[in-house]
Amino acid sequence: MSYTIVIAGRPNVGKSSLYNRLTGTDEAIVDPTAGVTRDRKYGVGEWTGKSFVVVDTGGIADEGVDVFEKEINFQVNMAMEEASVVLFVVDGKEGLTRGDEDIAKRLRKLKCKVFVVCNKVDTSDKEIWVNEFYQLGLGDTIFPISAVNGYGTGDLMEVIAKDIPDEEEDENKLTRVAIVGRPNVGKSSMLNALTDSKRSIVSDQAGTTRDSVDMVYKAFGKELILVDTAGLRRGKDYSDDLEFYGSIRTIKAIRTSDVCLLLIDAVEGLTRGDLAIFREITEANKGVVLLVNKWDLVEKDHKSVDAYTKVLKDKLQPFSDIPIFFTSNITRQRVLKALARALEVAENRKRRIPTSELNEIMLPLIENNPPPVYKGKDIKIKFITQLPTKSPAIAFFCNTPQYVKDPYMRFLENKLRDNWDFSGIPVRLYFRQK
């Protein structure tokens, strides 16, 4: 299961800045106005080759006892449900407050680790600010950091990284197939159609599935794990806290899967929300099979499938080497074929090409279609090998790797796909100095 870091604390202590620092983004809004983060945000970070999910929670409001209590309960409950570690952010410049003490009282009851992070300490002479926070009773170590300039965050991450497990290859582990998509595209009905059961609750109300549901299932002579997930929405679209829980679990389901069945609504077509989920899958280097669901509701003729497929592939560029199935949960049309293809895609993700074979096939293609001359210099690719990663990654060794541009990278990727079956799988290309 993905390692999850939950950032909690009062408003305006720097939680969003820390989120941006850990994820290497500027997605969370940073503003001196208390309570700016109203929607919970999630992202993915990496440290020394280990990846983790980061959750930025809204600041705990103190506009009254009832609201305060409700927000504390939300953050603590989320931490209990989702967190591997909670980073309790306090404001070193402001000092210890009653609000910090109230939050600490709840956090002390958690079973997961809680680290107190004293923010706004941007130089060593300010580290004395941490001393008063030992009164919170949340461990022997308090981390002085500046989320804005990065002071101390390396020391914090070194400690956290020790607990993040290394991903190990297990040849005997069951293939995990996650059923993902926006709310109300038919994910639970798809699971029921695949298994011919009523294991998942089906409703026409968006967001019925709040949790991820794992099911061991036997098909085509193999055992696999089917994962039904809550519908994935972004930012301001969260209707309530429970839906946010579901979105976090969806991200974790994607990141722990081998291949995803991405469902879209045939009537609505490929939306921005669908593309956002598609990017989550590809950025995690997982396999993907696209299911155009509710195909029975579309008026069509003999040209409809080809026309619809072309529109999809155009929108999915540059990665469009993806199996596409037009399905119906009602008739179970092509449902099992899609699952069978998903298992093939999972095998594609494991594909390993011998170095000799790579060079024998690719180098003549490159010689006949060399990279364009850049700044008067010829680019010579001399050696190719597949890297020992879980998903396909190919390294090209050349004299000037910095001059290889995106169009030629796409040419090389297309040639790789022409010669080896990487359908449904993102292929990463690296260019290194020879």
Side-chain angles (χ1 to χ4, degrees):
M1 186 56 67
S2 292
Y3 192 90
T4 302
I5 299 172
V6 171
I7 303 172
R10 294 183 298 105
N12 206 28
V13 293
K15 296 186 301 300
S16 294
S17 295
L18 182 57
Y19 169 90
N20 291 344
R21 174 68 55 180
L22 297 184
T23 59
T25 68
D26 56 2
E27 293 177 1
I29 299 170
V30 179
D31 191 285
T33 305
V36 166
T37 304
R38 299 197 180 279
D39 300 314
R40 284 79 188 174
K41 298 183 183 298
Y42 59 85
V44 177
E46 184 175 309
W47 186 264
T48 61
K50 296 181 177 182
S51 62
F52 46 85
V53 174
V54 185
V55 181
D56 176 25
T57 62
I60 297 177
D62 54 3
E63 322 141 18
V65 175
D66 292 340
V67 175
F68 189 33
E69 189 75 12
K70 178 183 177 182
E71 290 298 322
I72 291 177
N73 280 331
F74 166 69
Q75 290 199 14
V76 172
N77 287 339
M78 186 176 70
M80 292 172 68
E81 292 285 337
E82 305 300 334
S84 307
V85 63
V86 175
L87 300 185
F88 176 25
V89 183
V90 296
D91 187 329
K93 191 173 183 180
E94 185 178 354
L96 182 64
T97 70
R98 174 64 182 275
D100 295 326
E101 293 173 346
D102 289 339
I103 298 169
K105 190 183 300 181
R106 299 303 184 90
L107 293 179
R108 283 197 292 270
K109 298 178 182 178
L110 296 183
K111 294 181 180 178
C112 68
K113 285 188 176 180
V114 178
F115 292 146
V116 179
V117 177
C118 185
N119 194 30
K120 306 183 184 179
V121 178
D122 52 10
T123 57
S124 59
D125 60 305
K126 295 177 182 176
E127 291 188 8
I128 194 172
W129 289 354
V130 308
N131 290 341
E132 62 180 314
F133 293 100
Y134 285 105
Q135 299 175 44
L136 296 174
L138 287 169
D140 298 330
T141 303
I142 294 177
F143 294 88
I145 72 158
S146 169
V148 172
N149 70 15
Y151 181 88
T153 54
D155 293 336
L156 171 64
M157 286 310 305
E158 287 293 340
V159 172
I160 292 175
K162 292 177 183 177
D163 289 335
I164 303 176
D166 291 315
E167 294 186 30
E168 296 180 358
E169 283 288 354
D170 182 358
E171 296 296 332
N172 298 316
K173 78 178 181 69
L174 300 182
T175 299
R176 292 181 64 87
V177 179
I179 304 172
V180 300
R182 293 180 296 109
N184 209 30
V185 294
K187 297 182 298 299
S188 295
S189 297
M190 176 62 66
L191 179 65
N192 292 341
L194 283 168
T195 61
D196 196 23
S197 71
K198 300 294 183 183
R199 182 182 180 103
S200 291
I201 300 170
V202 179
S203 168
D204 59 5
Q205 180 178 347
T208 300
T209 302
R210 301 295 195 179
D211 228 333
S212 296
V213 179
D214 287 12
M215 179 180 183
V216 178
Y217 175 61
K218 189 169 185 178
F220 318 110
K222 297 180 180 179
E223 281 193 342
L224 59 138
I225 297 174
L226 290 174
V227 185
D228 178 25
T229 60
L232 182 61
R233 289 182 178 172
R234 306 289 293 206
K236 64 183 179 181
D237 294 328
Y238 298 135
S239 62
D240 55 32
D241 293 342
L242 287 177
E243 189 170 327
F244 176 71
Y245 287 147
S247 294
I248 295 299
R249 291 177 181 133
T250 298
I251 294 298
K252 293 169 77 171
I254 289 173
R255 298 191 69 80
T256 56
S257 70
D258 297 296
V259 60
C260 297
L261 295 175
L262 172 56
L263 272 66
I264 69 169
D265 188 309
V267 178
E268 296 181 13
L270 191 70
T271 68
R272 290 178 62 186
D274 298 323
L275 287 171
I277 301 170
F278 178 72
R279 284 195 297 271
E280 295 283 359
I281 296 169
T282 57
E283 286 173 6
N285 296 306
K286 305 300 182 180
V288 58
V289 175
L290 185 62
L291 276 59
V292 184
N293 200 31
K294 305 182 185 179
W295 189 240
D296 53 304
L297 302 180
V298 175
E299 290 188 15
K300 46 192 172 290
D301 56 31
H302 66 287
K303 297 181 180 179
S304 297
V305 168
D306 289 342
Y308 207 116
T309 299
K310 183 180 185 309
V311 170
L312 290 177
K313 287 183 176 289
D314 287 344
K315 288 186 176 181
L316 294 172
Q317 290 290 350
F319 176 32
S320 59
D321 184 14
I322 299 164
I324 299 173
F325 290 86
F326 293 80
T327 61
S328 166
N329 294 336
I330 304 298
T331 65
R332 300 183 73 196
Q333 184 181 30
R334 303 183 191 90
V335 167
L336 288 176
K337 287 183 178 179
L339 180 60
R341 190 71 178 101
L343 294 178
E344 292 174 3
V345 168
E347 290 302 311
N348 289 348
R349 188 166 177 261
K350 301 176 185 176
R351 189 173 307 285
R352 299 292 179 263
I353 309 171
T355 298
S356 58
E357 185 179 333
L358 258 179
N359 286 273
E360 181 181 342
I361 292 175
M362 290 297 294
L363 286 180
L365 292 172
I366 292 169
E367 187 175 348
N368 291 332
N369 298 274
V373 174
Y374 188 79
K375 292 186 176 181
K377 292 190 176 183
D378 289 330
I379 303 170
K380 301 289 187 182
I381 297 175
K382 301 176 181 179
F383 181 72
I384 312 165
T385 190
Q386 184 171 358
L387 300 175
T389 53
K390 283 192 170 185
S391 57
I394 311 296
F396 294 80
F397 291 83
C398 56
N399 57 335
T400 52
Q402 70 274 23
Y403 293 156
V404 181
K405 303 303 177 183
D406 286 346
Y408 195 74
M409 292 181 189
R410 287 194 289 273
F411 165 77
L412 292 176
E413 181 178 340
N414 289 336
K415 292 304 177 184
L416 286 167
R417 293 183 184 279
D418 288 345
N419 286 279
W420 296 278
D421 187 0
F422 287 118
S423 177
I425 302 297
V427 177
R428 292 170 293 165
L429 306 187
Y430 296 92
F431 294 84
R432 297 179 174 176
Q433 187 79 39
K434 176 65 174 177

Short mmCIF file of all heavy atoms in Angstrom, two decimals, residues 283-328:
data_model
loop_
_atom_site.label_atom_id
_atom_site.label_comp_id
_atom_site.label_asym_id
_atom_site.label_seq_id
_atom_site.Cartn_x
_atom_site.Cartn_y
_atom_site.Cartn_z
N GLU A 283 1.45 8.73 -15.16
CA GLU A 283 2.53 9.25 -14.33
C GLU A 283 3.00 8.22 -13.31
O GLU A 283 4.15 8.24 -12.88
CB GLU A 283 2.09 10.53 -13.63
CG GLU A 283 2.01 11.73 -14.57
CD GLU A 283 1.41 12.96 -13.91
OE1 GLU A 283 1.15 12.90 -12.68
OE2 GLU A 283 1.18 13.97 -14.61
N ALA A 284 2.11 7.31 -12.94
CA ALA A 284 2.47 6.23 -12.02
C ALA A 284 3.05 5.04 -12.79
O ALA A 284 3.40 4.02 -12.18
CB ALA A 284 1.26 5.78 -11.20
N ASN A 285 3.14 5.15 -14.13
CA ASN A 285 3.70 4.09 -14.98
C ASN A 285 2.94 2.77 -14.85
O ASN A 285 3.53 1.69 -14.79
CB ASN A 285 5.19 3.87 -14.67
CG ASN A 285 6.01 5.09 -15.01
OD1 ASN A 285 5.97 5.60 -16.13
ND2 ASN A 285 6.76 5.58 -14.03
N LYS A 286 1.62 2.88 -14.82
CA LYS A 286 0.77 1.70 -14.75
C LYS A 286 0.17 1.41 -16.12
O LYS A 286 0.04 2.30 -16.97
CB LYS A 286 -0.35 1.90 -13.72
CG LYS A 286 0.14 2.28 -12.34
CD LYS A 286 1.06 1.22 -11.73
CE LYS A 286 1.51 1.61 -10.33
NZ LYS A 286 2.39 0.59 -9.73
N GLY A 287 -0.25 0.18 -16.31
CA GLY A 287 -0.93 -0.18 -17.55
C GLY A 287 -2.34 0.38 -17.56
O GLY A 287 -2.94 0.61 -16.52
N VAL A 288 -2.88 0.57 -18.77
CA VAL A 288 -4.24 1.12 -18.87
C VAL A 288 -4.96 0.51 -20.07
O VAL A 288 -4.39 0.33 -21.14
CB VAL A 288 -4.20 2.66 -18.97
CG1 VAL A 288 -3.39 3.13 -20.17
CG2 VAL A 288 -5.61 3.24 -19.01
N VAL A 289 -6.22 0.17 -19.82
CA VAL A 289 -7.15 -0.24 -20.88
C VAL A 289 -8.35 0.69 -20.76
O VAL A 289 -8.90 0.88 -19.67
CB VAL A 289 -7.59 -1.71 -20.72
CG1 VAL A 289 -8.65 -2.07 -21.75
CG2 VAL A 289 -6.38 -2.64 -20.84
N LEU A 290 -8.76 1.29 -21.88
CA LEU A 290 -9.84 2.28 -21.86
C LEU A 290 -11.16 1.61 -22.23
O LEU A 290 -11.26 0.95 -23.26
CB LEU A 290 -9.52 3.40 -22.85
CG LEU A 290 -10.49 4.58 -22.88
CD1 LEU A 290 -10.53 5.29 -21.54
CD2 LEU A 290 -10.09 5.56 -23.98
N LEU A 291 -12.16 1.78 -21.37
CA LEU A 291 -13.48 1.22 -21.60
C LEU A 291 -14.47 2.35 -21.83
O LEU A 291 -14.68 3.19 -20.94
CB LEU A 291 -13.94 0.37 -20.41
CG LEU A 291 -13.48 -1.09 -20.35
CD1 LEU A 291 -11.96 -1.19 -20.35
CD2 LEU A 291 -14.07 -1.79 -19.15
N VAL A 292 -15.04 2.38 -23.03
CA VAL A 292 -16.10 3.34 -23.33
C VAL A 292 -17.40 2.69 -22.88
O VAL A 292 -18.00 1.90 -23.61
CB VAL A 292 -16.12 3.69 -24.83
CG1 VAL A 292 -17.16 4.76 -25.11
CG2 VAL A 292 -14.74 4.15 -25.29
N ASN A 293 -17.82 3.01 -21.67
CA ASN A 293 -18.93 2.31 -21.05
C ASN A 293 -20.27 2.96 -21.41
O ASN A 293 -20.31 4.09 -21.88
CB ASN A 293 -18.74 2.29 -19.53
CG ASN A 293 -19.54 1.20 -18.86
OD1 ASN A 293 -19.78 0.14 -19.45
ND2 ASN A 293 -20.00 1.45 -17.65
N LYS A 294 -21.34 2.21 -21.19
CA LYS A 294 -22.71 2.64 -21.52
C LYS A 294 -22.88 2.81 -23.04
O LYS A 294 -23.64 3.65 -23.52
CB LYS A 294 -23.07 3.94 -20.80
CG LYS A 294 -22.90 3.89 -19.28
CD LYS A 294 -23.32 5.18 -18.62
CE LYS A 294 -23.03 5.16 -17.12
NZ LYS A 294 -23.42 6.44 -16.46
N TRP A 295 -22.15 1.97 -23.80
CA TRP A 295 -22.22 2.03 -25.25
C TRP A 295 -23.62 1.71 -25.76
O TRP A 295 -24.01 2.14 -26.85
CB TRP A 295 -21.18 1.08 -25.83
CG TRP A 295 -20.98 1.17 -27.31
CD1 TRP A 295 -21.17 0.17 -28.24
CD2 TRP A 295 -20.53 2.31 -28.07
NE1 TRP A 295 -20.86 0.62 -29.50
CE2 TRP A 295 -20.46 1.93 -29.41
CE3 TRP A 295 -20.18 3.60 -27.72
CZ2 TRP A 295 -20.07 2.80 -30.43
CZ3 TRP A 295 -19.78 4.48 -28.72
CH2 TRP A 295 -19.74 4.08 -30.06
N ASP A 296 -24.40 0.98 -24.98
CA ASP A 296 -25.76 0.63 -25.37
C ASP A 296 -26.68 1.86 -25.43
O ASP A 296 -27.75 1.81 -26.03
CB ASP A 296 -26.34 -0.40 -24.41
CG ASP A 296 -26.24 0.04 -22.95
OD1 ASP A 296 -25.10 0.32 -22.52
OD2 ASP A 296 -27.27 0.10 -22.26
N LEU A 297 -26.25 2.98 -24.80
CA LEU A 297 -27.08 4.18 -24.78
C LEU A 297 -26.80 5.12 -25.94
O LEU A 297 -27.45 6.16 -26.08
CB LEU A 297 -26.86 4.94 -23.46
CG LEU A 297 -27.14 4.17 -22.17
CD1 LEU A 297 -26.87 5.07 -20.97
CD2 LEU A 297 -28.57 3.65 -22.16
N VAL A 298 -25.83 4.78 -26.78
CA VAL A 298 -25.41 5.66 -27.87
C VAL A 298 -26.06 5.24 -29.18
O VAL A 298 -26.08 4.05 -29.53
CB VAL A 298 -23.87 5.63 -28.03
CG1 VAL A 298 -23.43 6.44 -29.24
CG2 VAL A 298 -23.20 6.13 -26.77
N GLU A 299 -26.63 6.22 -29.90
CA GLU A 299 -27.12 5.94 -31.24
C GLU A 299 -25.92 5.81 -32.17
O GLU A 299 -25.06 6.68 -32.21
CB GLU A 299 -28.03 7.08 -31.72
CG GLU A 299 -29.36 7.15 -30.98
CD GLU A 299 -30.29 8.16 -31.61
OE1 GLU A 299 -30.02 8.58 -32.76
OE2 GLU A 299 -31.27 8.54 -30.95
N LYS A 300 -25.88 4.76 -32.95
CA LYS A 300 -24.66 4.48 -33.71
C LYS A 300 -24.97 3.77 -35.02
O LYS A 300 -26.06 3.23 -35.22
CB LYS A 300 -23.69 3.65 -32.86
CG LYS A 300 -24.33 2.47 -32.15
CD LYS A 300 -23.40 1.89 -31.10
CE LYS A 300 -24.08 0.85 -30.24
NZ LYS A 300 -25.08 1.42 -29.33
N ASP A 301 -23.95 3.78 -35.89
CA ASP A 301 -24.02 3.01 -37.12
C ASP A 301 -22.71 2.24 -37.27
O ASP A 301 -21.90 2.19 -36.34
CB ASP A 301 -24.29 3.92 -38.33
CG ASP A 301 -23.25 5.03 -38.47
OD1 ASP A 301 -22.07 4.81 -38.08
OD2 ASP A 301 -23.59 6.12 -38.96
N HIS A 302 -22.47 1.69 -38.45
CA HIS A 302 -21.30 0.83 -38.63
C HIS A 302 -19.99 1.60 -38.59
O HIS A 302 -18.91 1.02 -38.49
CB HIS A 302 -21.41 0.05 -39.93
CG HIS A 302 -21.35 0.90 -41.17
ND1 HIS A 302 -22.40 1.72 -41.56
CD2 HIS A 302 -20.36 1.10 -42.08
CE1 HIS A 302 -22.06 2.37 -42.66
NE2 HIS A 302 -20.83 2.01 -43.01
N LYS A 303 -20.03 2.94 -38.67
CA LYS A 303 -18.82 3.75 -38.64
C LYS A 303 -18.54 4.35 -37.26
O LYS A 303 -17.50 4.99 -37.07
CB LYS A 303 -18.92 4.88 -39.66
CG LYS A 303 -19.01 4.41 -41.10
CD LYS A 303 -19.08 5.61 -42.05
CE LYS A 303 -19.17 5.15 -43.50
NZ LYS A 303 -19.27 6.32 -44.42
N SER A 304 -19.45 4.16 -36.33
CA SER A 304 -19.36 4.87 -35.04
C SER A 304 -18.12 4.50 -34.24
O SER A 304 -17.46 5.36 -33.67
CB SER A 304 -20.63 4.60 -34.21
OG SER A 304 -21.76 5.11 -34.85
N VAL A 305 -17.81 3.21 -34.19
CA VAL A 305 -16.67 2.76 -33.38
C VAL A 305 -15.37 3.37 -33.90
O VAL A 305 -14.56 3.90 -33.14
CB VAL A 305 -16.58 1.22 -33.36
CG1 VAL A 305 -15.25 0.77 -32.77
CG2 VAL A 305 -17.73 0.64 -32.54
N ASP A 306 -15.17 3.31 -35.22
CA ASP A 306 -13.93 3.86 -35.80
C ASP A 306 -13.84 5.36 -35.57
O ASP A 306 -12.76 5.89 -35.23
CB ASP A 306 -13.87 3.55 -37.29
CG ASP A 306 -13.63 2.07 -37.58
OD1 ASP A 306 -13.16 1.36 -36.65
OD2 ASP A 306 -13.90 1.64 -38.71
N ALA A 307 -14.94 6.06 -35.74
CA ALA A 307 -14.93 7.52 -35.56
C ALA A 307 -14.66 7.89 -34.11
O ALA A 307 -13.87 8.81 -33.83
CB ALA A 307 -16.27 8.11 -36.03
N TYR A 308 -15.30 7.18 -33.19
CA TYR A 308 -15.12 7.45 -31.76
C TYR A 308 -13.69 7.15 -31.34
O TYR A 308 -13.06 7.91 -30.60
CB TYR A 308 -16.11 6.59 -30.97
CG TYR A 308 -16.51 7.14 -29.63
CD1 TYR A 308 -17.83 7.50 -29.37
CD2 TYR A 308 -15.60 7.28 -28.59
CE1 TYR A 308 -18.23 8.00 -28.13
CE2 TYR A 308 -15.97 7.77 -27.36
CZ TYR A 308 -17.29 8.12 -27.14
OH TYR A 308 -17.66 8.60 -25.90
N THR A 309 -13.15 6.03 -31.86
CA THR A 309 -11.78 5.64 -31.53
C THR A 309 -10.78 6.69 -31.98
O THR A 309 -9.84 7.02 -31.26
CB THR A 309 -11.44 4.27 -32.17
OG1 THR A 309 -12.34 3.28 -31.66
CG2 THR A 309 -10.01 3.87 -31.87
N LYS A 310 -10.98 7.22 -33.18
CA LYS A 310 -10.06 8.25 -33.70
C LYS A 310 -10.08 9.49 -32.80
O LYS A 310 -9.02 10.06 -32.50
CB LYS A 310 -10.43 8.63 -35.13
CG LYS A 310 -9.46 9.63 -35.75
CD LYS A 310 -9.83 10.00 -37.16
CE LYS A 310 -8.77 10.90 -37.80
NZ LYS A 310 -8.41 12.07 -36.99
N VAL A 311 -11.25 9.91 -32.38
CA VAL A 311 -11.35 11.08 -31.50
C VAL A 311 -10.61 10.82 -30.19
O VAL A 311 -9.86 11.68 -29.70
CB VAL A 311 -12.83 11.42 -31.22
CG1 VAL A 311 -12.94 12.47 -30.11
CG2 VAL A 311 -13.51 11.91 -32.48
N LEU A 312 -10.77 9.61 -29.63
CA LEU A 312 -10.10 9.27 -28.38
C LEU A 312 -8.59 9.30 -28.54
O LEU A 312 -7.88 9.90 -27.73
CB LEU A 312 -10.55 7.89 -27.90
CG LEU A 312 -11.98 7.75 -27.41
CD1 LEU A 312 -12.28 6.31 -27.06
CD2 LEU A 312 -12.22 8.64 -26.19
N LYS A 313 -8.10 8.66 -29.59
CA LYS A 313 -6.64 8.59 -29.78
C LYS A 313 -6.03 9.97 -30.01
O LYS A 313 -4.93 10.25 -29.55
CB LYS A 313 -6.32 7.64 -30.93
CG LYS A 313 -6.52 6.17 -30.58
CD LYS A 313 -6.11 5.25 -31.71
CE LYS A 313 -6.24 3.78 -31.31
NZ LYS A 313 -5.21 3.37 -30.34
N ASP A 314 -6.77 10.83 -30.71
CA ASP A 314 -6.28 12.19 -30.92
C ASP A 314 -6.16 12.93 -29.59
O ASP A 314 -5.18 13.65 -29.34
CB ASP A 314 -7.22 12.95 -31.85
CG ASP A 314 -7.11 12.49 -33.31
OD1 ASP A 314 -6.11 11.81 -33.63
OD2 ASP A 314 -8.01 12.81 -34.09
N LYS A 315 -7.13 12.75 -28.70
CA LYS A 315 -7.12 13.45 -27.42
C LYS A 315 -6.08 12.87 -26.46
O LYS A 315 -5.61 13.57 -25.55
CB LYS A 315 -8.50 13.37 -26.76
CG LYS A 315 -9.55 14.24 -27.45
CD LYS A 315 -10.85 14.24 -26.66
CE LYS A 315 -11.87 15.18 -27.28
NZ LYS A 315 -13.14 15.22 -26.50
N LEU A 316 -5.72 11.60 -26.65
CA LEU A 316 -4.78 10.95 -25.75
C LEU A 316 -3.32 11.11 -26.18
O LEU A 316 -2.42 10.64 -25.49
CB LEU A 316 -5.11 9.45 -25.63
CG LEU A 316 -6.44 9.11 -24.97
CD1 LEU A 316 -6.74 7.63 -25.10
CD2 LEU A 316 -6.46 9.54 -23.50
N GLN A 317 -3.09 11.76 -27.30
CA GLN A 317 -1.71 11.96 -27.78
C GLN A 317 -0.86 12.65 -26.71
O GLN A 317 -1.37 13.47 -25.96
CB GLN A 317 -1.73 12.81 -29.06
CG GLN A 317 -2.30 12.11 -30.27
CD GLN A 317 -1.41 11.00 -30.80
OE1 GLN A 317 -0.25 10.84 -30.39
NE2 GLN A 317 -1.94 10.21 -31.70
N PRO A 318 0.45 12.32 -26.64
CA PRO A 318 1.20 11.45 -27.55
C PRO A 318 1.11 9.95 -27.21
O PRO A 318 1.61 9.14 -27.96
CB PRO A 318 2.63 11.95 -27.39
CG PRO A 318 2.69 12.43 -25.98
CD PRO A 318 1.36 13.01 -25.68
N PHE A 319 0.51 9.60 -26.06
CA PHE A 319 0.43 8.18 -25.70
C PHE A 319 -0.96 7.66 -26.08
O PHE A 319 -1.92 7.83 -25.33
CB PHE A 319 0.69 8.01 -24.21
CG PHE A 319 0.53 6.59 -23.70
CD1 PHE A 319 0.83 5.51 -24.50
CD2 PHE A 319 0.09 6.35 -22.42
CE1 PHE A 319 0.68 4.21 -24.05
CE2 PHE A 319 -0.06 5.05 -21.93
CZ PHE A 319 0.23 3.98 -22.75
N SER A 320 -1.04 7.07 -27.26
CA SER A 320 -2.35 6.58 -27.72
C SER A 320 -2.33 5.10 -28.06
O SER A 320 -3.29 4.57 -28.62
CB SER A 320 -2.80 7.38 -28.94
OG SER A 320 -1.85 7.27 -29.99
N ASP A 321 -1.24 4.41 -27.72
CA ASP A 321 -1.14 2.96 -27.96
C ASP A 321 -1.85 2.24 -26.82
O ASP A 321 -1.23 1.60 -25.98
CB ASP A 321 0.34 2.56 -28.05
CG ASP A 321 0.50 1.09 -28.39
OD1 ASP A 321 -0.48 0.45 -28.81
OD2 ASP A 321 1.62 0.56 -28.21
N ILE A 322 -3.17 2.38 -26.81
CA ILE A 322 -3.98 1.91 -25.69
C ILE A 322 -5.13 1.06 -26.21
O ILE A 322 -5.85 1.48 -27.12
CB ILE A 322 -4.55 3.12 -24.91
CG1 ILE A 322 -3.41 3.97 -24.36
CG2 ILE A 322 -5.46 2.66 -23.78
CD1 ILE A 322 -3.86 5.34 -23.93
N PRO A 323 -5.34 -0.12 -25.65
CA PRO A 323 -6.51 -0.93 -26.03
C PRO A 323 -7.79 -0.20 -25.64
O PRO A 323 -7.91 0.34 -24.54
CB PRO A 323 -6.34 -2.21 -25.21
CG PRO A 323 -4.89 -2.26 -24.83
CD PRO A 323 -4.48 -0.83 -24.68
N ILE A 324 -8.76 -0.17 -26.56
CA ILE A 324 -10.04 0.50 -26.32
C ILE A 324 -11.17 -0.49 -26.57
O ILE A 324 -11.20 -1.17 -27.60
CB ILE A 324 -10.20 1.73 -27.23
CG1 ILE A 324 -9.08 2.75 -26.96
CG2 ILE A 324 -11.57 2.38 -27.05
CD1 ILE A 324 -9.07 3.92 -27.94
N PHE A 325 -12.09 -0.57 -25.60
CA PHE A 325 -13.24 -1.46 -25.73
C PHE A 325 -14.52 -0.67 -25.51
O PHE A 325 -14.58 0.20 -24.63
CB PHE A 325 -13.16 -2.60 -24.71
CG PHE A 325 -12.08 -3.60 -25.00
CD1 PHE A 325 -10.78 -3.39 -24.55
CD2 PHE A 325 -12.35 -4.75 -25.75
CE1 PHE A 325 -9.77 -4.29 -24.82
CE2 PHE A 325 -11.34 -5.65 -26.03
CZ PHE A 325 -10.05 -5.44 -25.56
N PHE A 326 -15.53 -0.98 -26.29
CA PHE A 326 -16.84 -0.34 -26.15
C PHE A 326 -17.75 -1.31 -25.40
O PHE A 326 -18.07 -2.38 -25.94
CB PHE A 326 -17.38 0.03 -27.53
CG PHE A 326 -16.56 1.09 -28.22
CD1 PHE A 326 -15.37 0.76 -28.86
CD2 PHE A 326 -16.95 2.42 -28.18
CE1 PHE A 326 -14.61 1.74 -29.49
CE2 PHE A 326 -16.19 3.40 -28.79
CZ PHE A 326 -15.02 3.07 -29.45
N THR A 327 -18.10 -0.96 -24.20
CA THR A 327 -18.71 -1.93 -23.29
C THR A 327 -20.08 -1.48 -22.80
O THR A 327 -20.45 -0.31 -22.88
CB THR A 327 -17.81 -2.15 -22.06
OG1 THR A 327 -17.66 -0.91 -21.35
CG2 THR A 327 -16.45 -2.68 -22.45
N SER A 328 -20.82 -2.45 -22.28
CA SER A 328 -22.10 -2.19 -21.62
C SER A 328 -22.20 -3.10 -20.42
O SER A 328 -22.06 -4.33 -20.55
CB SER A 328 -23.26 -2.45 -22.58
OG SER A 328 -24.48 -2.51 -21.87
#
